[in-house]
C-alpha cells in the first residue's frame, strides 16, 4: 500500500523513504569498499593509492547522476503534488535523455585520455600505470553509474523504494563475486577490480530499468526533443547536490596532491582507507536527506508548511544521533576496521589510525550541513543550497588544506576536515535560521 506524502504518518513515511535511501547509499558505498578490501588485501598499498587517485572521476560520475536525478525528481514531485502528471512525465523523459548524454560523454573521455586524467588528479610515476588502467576499464561503464543512480531515484518516486534497494543489493553481491573471481582466480589485478565494479553497475541499472518499463504507473518515458530551458532548470535544481558530490571528489583530489607532496604514496594509501570509511558516513547522511527530499518537495507543492517543519526536526535529530554513533563505533574499533584493508604494513596502519582519530570529528557535524543544504534544494531555492555546498566543498576546505600543513605539518592535513565542517555549520545554521525558516513562516501570512 502506497503512502500519501501529504497526510500519512511521518514515522511511516520516513521509514519507507528515508531509511531505504540510506541503505541504498550504503550499497553504493559498498562497491568502493569491496574494491578497497580486495585491492588492499590481495594487490597491495600501491594499488589502493592508484584507486584513490581515480575516485574524483567516480565522484564526478555520481555528481552528474545526482544533479539530473535530484533536480528532475524535485520538479516531478512538486508537479505530482499539484496534480500535473503531464509535465512530470515530460521532465522525467528529458532527464533520462540527459543522463544518457552526460554518461556517454564522460565515459568517452575516460577511455580516450586515462593517463592525462590521472596525472591531473595527482598520480605520480609510481602509481601512474595502475591508476590509468583502473580508469580506462571503469570508463566503459560510466554511463551505468549515472543511469543506476537516476533509475533508483525514479523508482523511489514511484513509491517502491524497497524494489530499488533489492536491485542495488543484487548489484553489490555481483560486485563481490566478480571481485573474488577476477582478482583471486583470474589474476586480472586492478583491471579486474574495475571490471567487477563496472559490470555490477550495469546489472543494477538493467534491473531498475525493467521496473520502470513494465511496472511504472506514475512515470512513463516518451522520446522528446531536448529543451535547453528545461534542461538548464533540471541541472540548476540539482546543482547543490552536484556541488556536494563533486566537492567530495575535489577534496579527495586536493588531499591526494598535498599528501603526495608531504607524505608520498603511502600517505595517499592511508587517506584512501580513510576515504573508504568516511564514504559510508557521508553517503548515509546524503541518502537520508535525499530520501526525505521528495517528501518535503511534495508538501511544498501542496502548501503544507507545518508538515515540512516537523519533517526537518526529525531529520536533524536523526543525523545528529547517526553522526555520534558513527564517531563512537569507528574510534572504538579503528584497529579492526583498518585491518580489513591492509595486511602487515605498520607504516600505513599507524598513519591511518592517527588520521581517523582526528578526521572522524567530521562525522558529528557533516549530517547537519547536508540536511540544511538539501532543505533549500527541496523548496526550490537552489541558489542558497549551491552556495552552502560550495562553501563547504570548495572554499573553506581548500583554504584550510593549503594553510594548516604549513603550521601543523602532517597533523594539519587531518585537522583541516573537521575544522571545515565546524565553520560550515556556523554559516549554514545562520542562513537556515535567518532565511530558511523565515521564508516558510512567511507562507502563513
Amino acid at each position: 500500500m502506497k503512502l500519501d506524502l501529504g497526510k500519512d504518518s511521518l514515522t511511516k513515511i520516513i521509514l519507507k523513504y528515508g531509511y531505504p535511501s540510506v541503505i541504498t547509499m550504503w550499497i553504493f558505498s559498498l562497491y568502493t569498499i569491496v574494491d578497497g578490501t580486495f585491492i588492499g588485501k590481495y594487490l597491495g598499498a600501491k594499488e589502493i593509492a592508484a584507486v584513490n587517485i581515480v575516485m574524483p572521476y567516480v565522484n564526478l560520475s555520481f555528481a552528474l547522476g545526482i544533479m539530473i536525478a535530484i533536480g528532475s525528481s524535485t520538479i516531478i514531485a512538486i508537479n505530482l503534488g499539484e496534480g500535473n502528471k503531464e509535465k512530470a512525465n515530460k521532465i522525467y523523459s528529458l532527464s533520462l535523455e540527459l543522463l544518457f548524454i552526460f554518461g556517454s560523454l564522460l565515459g568517452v573521455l575516460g577511455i580516450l585520455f586515462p593517463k592525462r586524467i590521472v596525472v591531473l588528479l595527482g598520480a605520480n610515476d609510481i602509481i601512474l600505470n595502475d591508476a590509468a588502467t583502473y580508469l580506462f576499464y571503469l570508463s566503459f561503464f560510466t554511463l551505468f553509474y549515472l543511469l543506476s543512480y537516476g533509475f533508483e531515484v525514479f523508482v523511489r518516486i514511484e513509491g517502491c523504494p524497497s524494489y530499488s534497494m533489492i536491485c542495488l543489493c543484487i548489484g553489490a553481491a555481483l560486485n563481490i563475486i566478480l571481485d573474488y573471481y577476477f582478482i583471486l582466480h583470474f589474476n586480472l589485478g586492478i583491471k579486474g577490480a574495475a571490471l567487477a565494479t563496472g559490470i555490477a553497475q550495469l546489472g543494477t541499472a538493467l534491473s531498475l530499468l525493467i521496473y520502470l518499463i513494465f511496472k511504472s504507473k506514475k512515470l512513463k518515458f516518451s522520446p522528446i526533443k531536448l529543451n535547453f530551458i528545461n534542461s538548464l532548470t533540471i541541472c540548476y535544481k540539482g546543482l547543490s547536490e552536484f556541488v556536494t558530490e563533486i566537492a567530495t571528489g575535489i577534496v579527495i583530489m586536493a588531499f591526494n596532491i598535498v599528501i603526495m607532496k608531504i607524505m608520498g604514496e603511502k600517505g595517499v594509501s592511508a587517506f584512501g582507507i580513510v576515504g573508504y570509511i568516511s564514504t559510508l558516513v557521508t553517503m548515509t547522511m546524503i541518502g537520508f536527506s535525499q530520501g526525505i527530499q521528495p517528501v518535503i518537495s511534495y508538501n511544498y507543492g501542496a502548501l503544507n508548511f507545518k508538515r515540512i517543519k516537523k519533517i526537518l526536526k526529525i531529520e536533524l535529530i536523526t543525523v545528529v544521533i547517526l553522526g555520534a554513533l558513527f564517531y563512537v563505533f569507528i574510534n572504538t574499533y579503528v584497529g579492526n576496521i583498518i585491518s580489513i584493508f591492509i595486511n602487515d604494513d605498520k607504516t600505513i596502519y599507524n598513519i591511518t589510525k592517527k588520521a581517523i582519530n582526528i578526521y572522524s570529528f567530521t562525522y558529528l557535524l557533516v549530517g547537519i550541513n547536508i540536511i540544511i543544504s538539501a532543505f533549500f534544494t527541496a523548496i526550490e531555492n537552489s541558489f542558497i543550497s549551491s552556495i552552502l555546498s560550495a562553501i563547504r566543498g570548495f572554499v573553506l576546505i581548500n583554504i584550510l588544506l593549503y594553510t594548516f600543513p604549513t603550521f601543523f605539518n602532517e597533523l594539519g592535513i587531518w585537522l583541516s576536515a573537521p575544522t571545515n565542517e565546524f565553520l560550515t555549520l556556523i554559516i549554514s545554521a545562520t542562513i537556515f535560521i535567518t532565511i530558511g525558516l523565515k521564508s516558510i513562516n512567511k507562507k502563513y501570512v
Side-chain angles (χ1 to χ4, degrees):
M1 183 173 135
K2 295 184 179 179
L3 296 174
D4 186 327
L5 300 185
K7 296 179 181 179
D8 284 335
S9 165
L10 286 177
T11 302
K12 289 183 180 179
I13 289 173
I14 287 172
L15 285 173
K16 185 171 182 178
Y17 282 82
Y19 295 110
S21 180
V22 169
I23 295 173
T24 294
M25 285 300 188
W26 283 355
I27 298 168
F28 273 120
S29 301
L30 189 61
Y31 284 99
T32 304
I33 293 171
V34 167
D35 274 350
T37 302
F38 277 95
I39 290 167
K41 284 288 189 181
Y42 302 108
L43 297 180
K46 180 167 69 75
E47 285 75 10
I48 287 182
V51 172
N52 195 50
I53 286 291
V54 178
M55 280 302 105
Y57 174 89
V58 177
N59 286 118
L60 177 58
S61 302
F62 274 119
L64 290 170
I66 287 171
M67 176 180 68
I68 297 168
I70 296 300
S72 60
S73 68
T74 299
I75 302 172
I76 291 168
I78 289 174
N79 277 280
L80 289 175
E82 294 172 344
N84 193 344
K85 192 173 181 179
E86 182 180 353
K87 185 175 180 181
N89 277 294
K90 285 183 179 179
I91 296 299
Y92 168 66
S93 299
L94 177 60
S95 66
L96 292 182
E97 293 176 357
L98 292 174
L99 286 168
F100 187 85
I101 292 170
F102 280 109
S104 299
L105 290 175
L106 186 59
V108 168
L109 288 175
I111 293 169
L112 296 179
F113 309 108
K115 286 194 174 181
R116 293 185 185 181
I117 292 173
V118 297
V119 168
L120 180 65
L121 296 177
N124 64 6
D125 292 338
I126 296 174
I127 62 174
L128 175 62
N129 289 331
D130 283 333
T133 298
Y134 187 80
L135 174 60
F136 175 76
Y137 286 98
L138 195 68
S139 296
F140 285 95
F141 303 93
T142 301
L143 171 62
F144 303 105
Y145 269 89
L146 276 75
L147 290 178
S148 62
Y149 189 86
F151 291 164
E152 189 275 327
V153 170
F154 297 135
V155 170
R156 261 196 278 135
I157 290 177
E158 277 290 322
C160 296
S162 57
Y163 178 86
S164 64
M165 188 172 62
I166 291 171
C167 293
L168 292 172
C169 286
I170 292 171
L174 183 61
N175 188 32
I176 294 171
I177 294 169
L178 292 178
D179 263 327
Y180 176 77
Y181 280 101
F182 286 174
I183 295 176
L184 270 68
H185 288 271
F186 299 154
N187 297 316
L188 294 178
I190 202 165
K191 175 172 69 174
L195 289 172
T197 300
I199 293 171
Q201 290 286 354
L202 169 61
T204 300
L206 291 178
S207 59
L208 289 165
L209 180 61
I210 289 171
Y211 181 93
L212 291 171
I213 292 175
F214 297 106
K215 291 182 175 289
S216 177
K217 294 181 179 179
K218 296 178 185 176
L219 303 177
K220 299 294 181 182
F221 173 80
S222 58
I224 61 172
K225 184 178 180 181
L226 287 176
N227 182 297
F228 178 76
I229 299 298
N230 286 340
S231 299
L232 194 63
T233 301
I234 289 172
C235 293
Y236 176 71
K237 290 187 182 299
L239 184 62
S240 172
E241 279 61 37
F242 173 83
V243 173
T244 298
E245 183 63 27
I246 198 63
T248 302
I250 290 175
V251 168
I252 291 173
M253 183 172 68
F255 267 96
N256 284 338
I257 292 171
V258 172
I259 292 171
M260 189 71 78
K261 289 180 180 178
I262 297 175
M263 305 169 68
E265 63 273 1
K266 282 190 177 290
V268 175
S269 298
F271 179 60
I273 297 171
V274 173
Y276 292 135
I277 299 168
S278 300
T279 293
L280 184 64
V281 180
T282 304
M283 293 293 265
T284 299
M285 306 305 182
I286 292 175
F288 186 69
S289 67
Q290 290 180 359
I292 307 301
Q293 199 164 308
V295 183
I296 294 177
S297 296
Y298 184 96
N299 282 279
Y300 188 76
L303 306 180
N304 196 346
F305 304 108
K306 286 184 178 179
R307 192 168 173 85
I308 292 176
K309 285 188 174 184
K310 291 179 182 178
I311 295 168
L312 280 172
K313 184 178 179 181
I314 295 172
E315 279 193 291
L316 290 171
I317 292 173
T318 301
V319 296
V320 168
I321 293 172
L322 286 173
L325 290 174
F326 273 121
Y327 176 82
V328 172
F329 179 82
I330 289 172
N331 279 284
T332 301
Y333 299 101
V334 62
N336 304 86
I337 294 171
I338 295 171
S339 297
I340 295 173
F341 300 98
I342 59 174
N343 289 317
D344 298 315
D345 195 318
K346 293 294 183 183
T347 302
I348 294 180
Y349 178 88
N350 291 330
I351 294 172
T352 307
K353 185 176 181 181
K354 180 180 179 181
I356 282 292
N357 288 335
I358 300 169
Y359 195 97
S360 58
F361 281 103
T362 62
Y363 308 157
L364 301 172
L365 307 174
V366 64
I368 304 173
N369 288 325
I370 289 173
I371 289 294
I372 293 174
S373 179
F375 162 74
F376 281 106
T377 297
I379 65 168
E380 295 192 295
N381 196 333
S382 297
F383 176 75
I384 290 180
S385 183
S386 301
I387 291 296
L388 292 176
S389 297
I391 289 172
R392 173 177 173 263
F394 293 110
V395 182
L396 291 178
I397 187 61
N398 280 288
I399 292 173
L400 294 167
L401 190 55
Y402 285 98
T403 55
F404 271 29
T406 304
F407 300 101
F408 306 110
N409 297 317
E410 294 178 12
L411 181 64
I413 296 173
W414 315 122
L415 279 173
S416 60
T419 305
N420 174 54
E421 294 295 343
F422 177 72
L423 294 176
T424 301
L425 179 59
I426 294 174
I427 297 169
S428 296
T430 302
I431 293 176
F432 179 66
I433 292 169
T434 57
I435 298 177
L437 291 180
K438 190 175 180 181
S439 65
I440 293 178
N441 289 334
K442 284 182 180 179
K443 300 292 183 179
Y444 292 107
V445 178

Short mmCIF file of all heavy atoms in Angstrom, two decimals, residues 110-111 114 132-142 190-192 194-195 198:
data_model
loop_
_atom_site.label_atom_id
_atom_site.label_comp_id
_atom_site.label_asym_id
_atom_site.label_seq_id
_atom_site.Cartn_x
_atom_site.Cartn_y
_atom_site.Cartn_z
N GLY A 110 37.16 9.22 -20.39
CA GLY A 110 37.97 8.29 -19.60
C GLY A 110 38.65 7.23 -20.44
O GLY A 110 39.76 6.80 -20.14
N ILE A 111 37.98 6.81 -21.52
CA ILE A 111 38.56 5.79 -22.42
C ILE A 111 39.69 6.37 -23.26
O ILE A 111 40.73 5.73 -23.47
CB ILE A 111 37.45 5.20 -23.32
CG1 ILE A 111 36.46 4.39 -22.48
CG2 ILE A 111 38.05 4.33 -24.42
CD1 ILE A 111 35.20 4.01 -23.23
N PRO A 114 42.98 8.34 -20.38
CA PRO A 114 43.13 7.89 -18.98
C PRO A 114 44.40 8.41 -18.30
O PRO A 114 44.34 8.83 -17.15
CB PRO A 114 43.14 6.36 -19.11
CG PRO A 114 43.57 6.08 -20.50
CD PRO A 114 43.00 7.20 -21.31
N ALA A 132 45.82 4.64 -14.35
CA ALA A 132 45.31 4.78 -15.72
C ALA A 132 44.56 3.52 -16.15
O ALA A 132 43.53 3.60 -16.82
CB ALA A 132 46.46 5.08 -16.68
N THR A 133 45.08 2.35 -15.78
CA THR A 133 44.43 1.08 -16.12
C THR A 133 43.05 0.99 -15.46
O THR A 133 42.06 0.63 -16.10
CB THR A 133 45.29 -0.11 -15.66
OG1 THR A 133 46.54 -0.07 -16.35
CG2 THR A 133 44.60 -1.44 -15.95
N TYR A 134 42.98 1.33 -14.19
CA TYR A 134 41.71 1.28 -13.46
C TYR A 134 40.70 2.23 -14.09
O TYR A 134 39.54 1.86 -14.32
CB TYR A 134 41.95 1.65 -11.99
CG TYR A 134 40.74 1.46 -11.10
CD1 TYR A 134 40.40 0.19 -10.62
CD2 TYR A 134 39.92 2.53 -10.75
CE1 TYR A 134 39.28 0.00 -9.81
CE2 TYR A 134 38.81 2.35 -9.94
CZ TYR A 134 38.50 1.08 -9.48
OH TYR A 134 37.39 0.90 -8.69
N LEU A 135 41.13 3.44 -14.41
CA LEU A 135 40.23 4.42 -15.01
C LEU A 135 39.76 3.98 -16.39
O LEU A 135 38.57 4.11 -16.72
CB LEU A 135 40.93 5.78 -15.12
CG LEU A 135 40.17 6.88 -15.86
CD1 LEU A 135 38.83 7.17 -15.17
CD2 LEU A 135 41.00 8.15 -15.94
N PHE A 136 40.67 3.45 -17.20
CA PHE A 136 40.34 3.05 -18.57
C PHE A 136 39.21 2.02 -18.58
O PHE A 136 38.20 2.19 -19.28
CB PHE A 136 41.58 2.48 -19.26
CG PHE A 136 41.31 1.94 -20.64
CD1 PHE A 136 41.14 2.79 -21.72
CD2 PHE A 136 41.22 0.57 -20.85
CE1 PHE A 136 40.88 2.29 -23.00
CE2 PHE A 136 40.96 0.06 -22.12
CZ PHE A 136 40.79 0.92 -23.20
N TYR A 137 39.35 0.96 -17.82
CA TYR A 137 38.34 -0.11 -17.84
C TYR A 137 37.04 0.32 -17.15
O TYR A 137 35.94 -0.09 -17.56
CB TYR A 137 38.91 -1.37 -17.21
CG TYR A 137 39.90 -2.07 -18.11
CD1 TYR A 137 41.27 -1.89 -17.94
CD2 TYR A 137 39.47 -2.87 -19.16
CE1 TYR A 137 42.19 -2.51 -18.78
CE2 TYR A 137 40.37 -3.49 -20.01
CZ TYR A 137 41.73 -3.31 -19.82
OH TYR A 137 42.62 -3.92 -20.66
N LEU A 138 37.15 1.14 -16.12
CA LEU A 138 35.95 1.62 -15.44
C LEU A 138 35.11 2.53 -16.34
O LEU A 138 33.88 2.55 -16.25
CB LEU A 138 36.35 2.38 -14.16
CG LEU A 138 35.25 2.64 -13.14
CD1 LEU A 138 34.78 1.33 -12.51
CD2 LEU A 138 35.75 3.59 -12.05
N SER A 139 35.79 3.25 -17.24
CA SER A 139 35.11 4.24 -18.07
C SER A 139 34.12 3.63 -19.05
O SER A 139 33.18 4.30 -19.49
CB SER A 139 36.14 5.07 -18.85
OG SER A 139 36.95 5.81 -17.97
N PHE A 140 34.30 2.35 -19.40
CA PHE A 140 33.34 1.69 -20.28
C PHE A 140 31.96 1.55 -19.62
O PHE A 140 30.97 1.31 -20.32
CB PHE A 140 33.87 0.30 -20.67
CG PHE A 140 34.98 0.34 -21.68
CD1 PHE A 140 36.30 0.31 -21.28
CD2 PHE A 140 34.70 0.44 -23.04
CE1 PHE A 140 37.33 0.35 -22.22
CE2 PHE A 140 35.72 0.48 -23.99
CZ PHE A 140 37.04 0.44 -23.57
N PHE A 141 31.92 1.72 -18.31
CA PHE A 141 30.66 1.54 -17.57
C PHE A 141 30.18 2.83 -16.91
O PHE A 141 29.25 2.81 -16.12
CB PHE A 141 30.83 0.45 -16.50
CG PHE A 141 31.29 -0.87 -17.05
CD1 PHE A 141 32.63 -1.19 -17.11
CD2 PHE A 141 30.36 -1.79 -17.53
CE1 PHE A 141 33.05 -2.41 -17.63
CE2 PHE A 141 30.77 -3.01 -18.05
CZ PHE A 141 32.12 -3.32 -18.10
N THR A 142 30.81 3.96 -17.26
CA THR A 142 30.45 5.24 -16.63
C THR A 142 28.98 5.57 -16.83
O THR A 142 28.31 6.07 -15.92
CB THR A 142 31.32 6.37 -17.20
OG1 THR A 142 32.70 6.07 -16.95
CG2 THR A 142 30.97 7.70 -16.54
N ILE A 190 44.29 -5.00 -10.96
CA ILE A 190 43.47 -3.80 -10.80
C ILE A 190 42.45 -3.66 -11.94
O ILE A 190 41.39 -3.07 -11.77
CB ILE A 190 44.38 -2.55 -10.69
CG1 ILE A 190 43.62 -1.42 -9.99
CG2 ILE A 190 44.90 -2.12 -12.06
CD1 ILE A 190 44.52 -0.31 -9.52
N LYS A 191 42.78 -4.25 -13.10
CA LYS A 191 41.82 -4.28 -14.20
C LYS A 191 40.58 -5.08 -13.79
O LYS A 191 39.45 -4.70 -14.11
CB LYS A 191 42.47 -4.92 -15.43
CG LYS A 191 41.54 -5.12 -16.60
CD LYS A 191 42.28 -5.58 -17.86
CE LYS A 191 42.79 -6.99 -17.69
NZ LYS A 191 43.39 -7.51 -18.95
N GLY A 192 40.77 -6.17 -13.08
CA GLY A 192 39.65 -6.99 -12.62
C GLY A 192 38.76 -6.25 -11.64
O GLY A 192 37.53 -6.40 -11.68
N ALA A 194 38.24 -3.02 -11.59
CA ALA A 194 37.46 -2.06 -12.37
C ALA A 194 36.32 -2.75 -13.11
O ALA A 194 35.17 -2.26 -13.12
CB ALA A 194 38.37 -1.33 -13.35
N LEU A 195 36.61 -3.89 -13.73
CA LEU A 195 35.58 -4.62 -14.47
C LEU A 195 34.47 -5.12 -13.54
O LEU A 195 33.28 -5.08 -13.88
CB LEU A 195 36.21 -5.80 -15.21
CG LEU A 195 37.08 -5.45 -16.41
CD1 LEU A 195 37.80 -6.69 -16.93
CD2 LEU A 195 36.26 -4.80 -17.52
N GLY A 198 32.27 -2.15 -12.63
CA GLY A 198 31.51 -1.69 -13.79
C GLY A 198 30.38 -2.62 -14.17
O GLY A 198 29.25 -2.19 -14.43
#
